[in-house]
Amino acid sequence: RFGAAMSKFLEFGQFAGSNLSLWNDTLGIPLMYDSSRMIMPTLEILNAGTRGIKDLSLDLRRHKESLKVYIDAYWDQMFSRSLAAAKLAPDKEHVSDVSTSMLVHSILNVKQFEELYWPQMKQTLDAAIECSYKYYVLSEAQFERFTDFVKDTPKGTLLIYIEQDDLKQMRDAMPNVALAGGIPTTVLGYYAPQQVEDFTRKLIEEMGPGFAVAPDKVLAYEKDATRENLLAMIRTVRSF
């Protein structure tokens, strides 16, 4: 069973890779980031690799000091290595030069974020500023309560993918930060193509410069999007 499961997993990896090539090579849509240039805060590594959200939530309450020791030790070893690799050259094939994916912030209050998460994220952001790199943050869940940490980032540095927050409110809170998202899967999966075009056009006109149109969820299920609606979205974006 394990062998069959691994085989299916590898098949999906090949399928996903072919889809990325389709978007980039056939449709001419640049990819957002290179996964080999992602610099992940330690809490994200723990969540994805060992603890998961439930156990990590318990660790924050029961073993905070031990958790902090591990967080700092892991980061000291891994950050310099990851950053050195990213600093070798800018990424000319993707929208961003360095990136990260955020989910653990969804279980943190502002004080926990400032103590356990932000110092590592800030080091990556500072390095991006130093190198004149574009830093892409894929933020799942809500980011609104953390906007004060990044609102003064120099323009042209930070691009945040918004999943659940109101885009207009986020634009007002972080005028220096470029935003991505805005197209719900309900639109891509169930609207007619003309409705998708109208929705996309209105969104672009309302958000203006510094905004990247993107689905606001990962397109992972059969009804998340139709081919005709994806093409309608792309046509509308290119009309600008």
Side-chain angles (χ1 to χ4, degrees):
R1 292 182 178 180
F2 178 77
M6 284 302 299
S7 177
K8 287 293 184 182
F9 178 77
L10 294 173
E11 285 180 17
F12 177 78
Q14 294 175 344
F15 172 74
S18 66
N19 277 347
L20 291 177
S21 297
L22 172 67
W23 279 74
N24 194 18
D25 301 336
T26 304
L27 299 176
I29 300 172
L31 302 180
M32 295 299 293
Y33 64 93
D34 179 353
S35 59
S36 69
R37 296 171 69 98
M38 296 186 80
I39 301 178
M40 305 287 284
T42 307
L43 282 176
E44 298 292 354
I45 300 294
L46 281 172
N47 170 52
T50 55
R51 301 300 290 159
I53 285 291
K54 179 181 178 181
D55 287 334
L56 200 52
S57 299
L58 296 174
D59 293 340
L60 288 165
R61 294 197 295 271
R62 298 175 180 175
H63 312 293
K64 179 183 173 183
E65 293 307 315
S66 298
L67 182 63
K68 190 174 188 312
V69 170
Y70 180 86
I71 287 171
D72 293 341
Y74 184 92
W75 182 255
D76 288 343
Q77 289 190 31
M78 297 303 298
F79 175 74
S80 58
R81 194 179 308 167
S82 299
L83 184 61
K87 276 187 170 182
L88 291 175
D91 186 341
K92 297 181 179 180
E93 297 182 0
H94 298 80
V95 173
S96 62
D97 300 291
V98 290
S99 61
T100 193
S101 178
M102 297 179 66
L103 178 59
V104 174
H105 68 293
S106 64
I107 63 170
L108 303 178
N109 59 40
V110 173
K111 183 177 180 181
Q112 290 171 326
F113 182 85
E114 184 173 19
E115 182 181 3
L116 302 174
Y117 200 108
W118 173 241
Q120 297 182 359
M121 186 176 177
K122 185 177 186 301
Q123 284 189 51
T124 309
L125 180 59
D126 288 343
I129 295 171
E130 176 190 345
C131 296
S132 298
Y133 278 0
K134 293 179 178 63
Y135 181 25
Y136 173 59
V137 176
L138 194 161
S139 172
E140 298 185 74
Q142 294 180 326
F143 189 82
E144 184 178 7
R145 63 187 180 278
F146 307 118
T147 56
D148 284 348
F149 291 94
V150 299
K151 66 180 182 180
D152 296 323
T153 301
K155 283 187 175 182
T157 301
L158 186 59
L159 169 63
I160 300 180
Y161 167 94
I162 301 299
E163 183 180 57
Q164 295 182 3
D165 299 289
D166 182 274
L167 282 169
K168 293 180 184 177
Q169 292 179 4
M170 296 294 278
R171 166 57 55 80
D172 292 340
M174 303 183 295
N176 286 3
V177 177
L179 303 177
I183 309 291
T185 52
T186 50
V187 171
L188 292 175
Y190 296 96
Y191 278 28
Q194 184 58 53
Q195 291 176 302
V196 174
E197 290 188 18
D198 295 341
F199 186 96
T200 305
R201 183 175 298 104
K202 181 180 179 182
L203 177 67
I204 295 172
E205 290 172 348
E206 289 178 347
M207 293 301 297
F211 174 68
V213 174
D216 68 357
K217 295 277 187 180
V218 176
L219 302 181
Y221 298 96
E222 184 178 358
K223 294 295 185 180
D224 280 352
T226 67
R227 178 180 182 275
E228 292 76 17
N229 284 350
L230 282 173
L231 291 174
M233 180 184 71
I234 293 168
R235 282 197 304 271
T236 307
V237 171
R238 286 178 169 168
S239 73
F240 285 82

